[in-house]
């Protein structure tokens, strides 16, 4: 199954744990993250009972957990022999459940796979030089800086209005982070392995229009044009 699925999104283990009820149920199997919610939505939609079958109740009890111990590394279930019929059945019986929408067993259905568990949890510290506020958060080793910025939006809704750097030399290209690259690809962990990466944010003051429908010429991002503000400065200070 893994070869069928192009995985672009990575998750922290803590992100999977919170999806543990019928309205949002995720599990992981050998690092694949599988969203089982459609199985429970379909199960509860049965007009006869409006309740889950015993197998689905069993599966729901494992929502938010890692089920790798019930599966081989190739993603197929570990089986045992049924003494009554001499036929092998999964040790984890809910592995027999299917996605009603596709007819495929959930553990081999690409439609239910939403990503992978990160190879490594990376703690980072992000310092806003405008407010001097430091935020510590955990990100996935595989995350690009752009993905990290999207996750940081929960702490600062204006995160896209900042220049992201690995040093304080604002205005120089060397320390400016490549948003489409990971921490490692941006040079972290090489010279400073074992330390918590620190990212510095510099607020970029938006360009002001000179007249209706007309804007000042120049780089739309405001980068390296003298309008980055590391600290509050009179009228340029913006509350974030």
């Amino acid at each position: 199954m893994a070869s069928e699925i192009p995985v672009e999104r990575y998750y922290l283990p803590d992100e999977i744990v919170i999806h543990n009820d019928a309205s949002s149920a995720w599990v992981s199997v050998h690092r694949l993250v599988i969203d089982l919610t459609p199985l429970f939505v379909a199960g509860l939609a049965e007009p006869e009972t409006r309740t889950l079958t015993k197998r689905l109740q069993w599966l729901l009890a494992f929502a938010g957990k890692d089920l790798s111990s019930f599966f081989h590394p190739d993603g197929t279930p570990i089986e045992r022999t049924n003494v009554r019929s001499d036929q092998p059945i999964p040790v984890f019986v809910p592995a027999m459940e299917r996605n009603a929408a596709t007819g495929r067993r959930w553990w081999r259905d690409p439609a239910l796979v939403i990503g992978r568990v990160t190879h490594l949890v990376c703690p980072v510290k992000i310092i806003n030089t405008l407010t001097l506020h430091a935020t510590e958060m955990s990100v996935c080793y595989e995350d690009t800086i752009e993905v990290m910025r999207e996750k940081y939006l929960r702490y600062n809704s204006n995160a896209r209005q900042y220049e992201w750097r690995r040093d304080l030399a604002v205005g120089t290209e060397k320390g400016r982070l490549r948003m489409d690259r990971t921490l490692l690809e941006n040079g972290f962990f090489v010279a400073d392995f074992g330390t918590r990466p620190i990212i510095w944010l510099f607020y970029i003051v938006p360009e002001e229009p000179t007249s209706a429908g007309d804007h000042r010429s120049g780089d739309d991002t405001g980068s390296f044009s003298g309008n980055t503000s590391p600290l509050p400065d009179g009228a340029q200070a913006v509350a974030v």
Side-chain angles (χ1 to χ4, degrees), residues 10-13 16 28 31-33 115-119 142:
Y10 290 86
Y11 294 93
L12 302 169
I16 300 169
S28 59
R31 294 188 58 213
L32 279 183
V33 182
R116 291 186 187 275
V117 180
T118 182
H119 174 72
E142 301 84 358

Side-chain angles (χ1 to χ4, degrees), residues 27-84:
V27 296
S28 59
V29 177
H30 294 295
R31 294 188 58 213
L32 279 183
V33 182
I34 304 173
D35 184 357
L36 300 177
T37 311
L39 277 68
F40 303 114
V41 171
L44 291 171
E46 293 295 330
E48 297 84 2
T49 60
R50 301 285 182 182
T51 59
L52 297 174
T53 64
K54 287 185 177 180
R55 275 205 316 234
L56 281 175
Q57 291 178 34
W58 186 353
L59 184 58
L60 182 58
F62 282 83
K65 302 185 185 327
D66 178 26
L67 304 183
S68 299
S69 60
F70 298 118
F71 291 82
H72 295 291
D74 65 357
T76 57
I78 297 172
E79 295 181 325
R80 61 181 174 82
T81 301
N82 186 340
V83 294
R84 294 183 178 179

Side-chain angles (χ1 to χ4, degrees), residues 161 163 204-207 218-228:
Q161 195 59 47
E163 180 181 311
I204 301 173
V205 180
E207 295 285 351
D219 186 352
D220 289 340
T221 65
S223 299
F224 314 130
S225 59
N227 61 350
T228 49

Side-chain angles (χ1 to χ4, degrees), residues 159-178:
R160 298 188 187 96
Q161 195 59 47
Y162 285 78
E163 180 181 311
W164 288 55
R165 302 187 59 82
R166 66 167 298 163
D167 62 31
L168 288 169
V170 63
T172 64
E173 184 65 31
K174 183 178 179 181
R176 191 181 187 192
L177 295 176
R178 288 286 302 272

